[in-house]
């Protein structure tokens, strides 16, 4: 199995998500798995209201740590991708195997990404995926790896390993019946699932300072406050939140347990970032 492929050796951090996500949380897999087990949630539903690449969710699902996952994202392009993966994985796989990797095709996919009807989820979803794999740092509104003239050190196909990506698609397709994909505001999802038993919500909303242009940022200061009001009001549910470690988080979640942690973050360069986890009161933290 190729190194960049679906690497599950030692069952440590399975790389299943086909999307590259700046700040992606697939690396939290081991911690989340421990928390799921400690809270007796292995037969339950794991929910990501701000899913993005959904790296941790997919890792937990395919290794059998949770029974079902919910992938929610408000960005219609990200939603279209996940919807296409779950409902038409073969069509996406076929396109992955055949699509031309050139600047001309990049321009065509960019046009689809910008102009396709939002409910044309196969075309919009594939265009989103194509740009995510061929743009610098996976940033959807960025330029292609290697530049428009392809004179850079790395070329447009540098992150498009067809075999490894098609394999990830096959693996997800096997578990598709246990994946729900929605396109709602994250708070709607939190309210919906926090009332149900046997659920675990992992919220990774757009950050205070890092969010910038990396992905859809529907959040302003008032959204951060509303999210805090929403989560604090259901602290008897089982949830975990991650944010950038800014003082607002300590203010908004003053009554909750918090823990600072580091994540390797590589949008433009590799740096150590300080992030913070916030835990609901009823969650057993390990
Ligand atoms: C920090 S990223 C999540 C990264 C993800 N946990 C991962 O590991 O790849 C935040 C995501 O939230 C989405 N988003 C932004 N505002 C939202 C909202 N109001 N409701 C739901 N999703 C939202 C963005 O499209 C983005 O994909």
């Amino acid at each position: 199995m190729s190194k960049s492929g679906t690497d599950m050796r030692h069952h440590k951090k399975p790389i299943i998500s086909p999307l590259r996500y700046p700040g992606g949380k697939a690396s939290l897999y081991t911690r989340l798995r421990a928390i799921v087990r400690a809270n007796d949630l292995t037969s339950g539903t794991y929910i990501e209201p701000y899913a993005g690449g959904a790296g941790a969710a997919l890792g937990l699902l395919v290794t059998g740590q949770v029974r079902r996952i919910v992938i929610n994202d408000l960005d219609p392009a990200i939603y279209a991708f996940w919807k296409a993966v779950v409902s038409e994985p073969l069509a996406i796989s076929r396109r992955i195997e055949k699509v031309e990797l050139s600047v001309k095709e990049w321009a065509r996919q960019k046009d689809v990404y910008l102009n396709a009807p939002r409910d044309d989820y196969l075309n919009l979803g594939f265009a989103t995926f194509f740009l995510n794999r061929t743009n610098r740092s996976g940033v959807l509104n960025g330029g292609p790896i290697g530049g428009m003239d392809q004179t850079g050190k790395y070329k447009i196909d540098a992150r498009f390993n067809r075999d490894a990506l098609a394999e990830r698609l096959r693996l997800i397709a096997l578990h598709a019946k246990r994946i729900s994909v929605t396109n709602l505001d994250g708070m709607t999802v939190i309210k919906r699932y926090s009332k149900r038993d046997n659920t675990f919500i992992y919220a990774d909303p757009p950050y205070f300072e890092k969010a910038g242009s990396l992905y859809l940022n529907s959040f302003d200061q008032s959204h951060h406050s509303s999210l805090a009001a929403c989560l604090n009001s259901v602290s008897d549910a089982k949830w975990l939140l991650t944010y950038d470690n800014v003082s607002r988080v300590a203010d908004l979640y003053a009554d909750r347990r918090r823990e600072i942690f580091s994540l390797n973050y590589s949008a433009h360069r590799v740096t150590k970032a300080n992030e913070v986890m916030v835990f609901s009161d009823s969650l057993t933290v390990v």
Side-chain angles (χ1 to χ4, degrees), residues 21 24-25 49-53 73-75 185-186 204 206 215-216 218-219:
Y21 233 79
K25 297 303 186 307
Y50 307 91
D73 204 287
L74 189 60
D75 185 332
D185 182 87
D204 182 27
Y215 33 72
L216 169 82
S218 64
F219 268 52

Side-chain angles (χ1 to χ4, degrees), residues 209-235:
E209 287 171 7
K210 283 197 313 208
S213 62
L214 292 182
Y215 33 72
L216 169 82
N217 185 6
S218 64
F219 268 52
D220 58 21
Q221 292 305 320
S222 74
H223 283 90
H224 291 295
S225 307
S226 318
L227 175 60
C230 173
L231 284 171
N232 283 325
S233 75
V234 293
S235 93

Side-chain angles (χ1 to χ4, degrees), residues 47 63 70 83 111 130 141 154 166-167 198 227 248 274 280:
I47 299 117
T63 58
V70 176
K83 174 115 170 102
D111 181 59
F130 184 93
N141 54 11
Y154 296 100
E167 190 178 318
N198 221 7
L227 175 60
R248 280 292 307 282
N274 251 354
S280 73

Side-chain angles (χ1 to χ4, degrees), residues 61 67-69 85-87 171-180:
L61 183 74
R67 179 78 45 87
R68 299 186 57 82
I69 61 170
V85 165
V86 167
S87 49
L171 197 51
I172 297 169
L174 283 176
H175 300 273
K177 286 201 175 72
R178 298 188 291 130
I179 305 175
S180 303

Side-chain angles (χ1 to χ4, degrees), residues 75-81 83 109-128 183:
D75 185 332
I78 300 291
Y79 164 73
F81 171 70
K83 174 115 170 102
Q109 295 292 348
K110 177 113 194 177
D111 181 59
V112 174
Y113 172 71
L114 293 174
N115 299 313
R118 301 292 93 175
D119 60 358
D120 179 4
Y121 57 84
L122 189 54
N123 285 317
L124 177 59
F126 185 76
T128 305
N183 185 211

Side-chain angles (χ1 to χ4, degrees), residues 17-22 131-138 145 159:
S17 178
L19 293 182
R20 300 160 65 209
Y21 233 79
L131 294 178
N132 175 269
R133 300 296 327 177
T134 57
N135 279 2
R136 289 198 188 98
S137 305
I145 301 168
R159 298 290 180 139

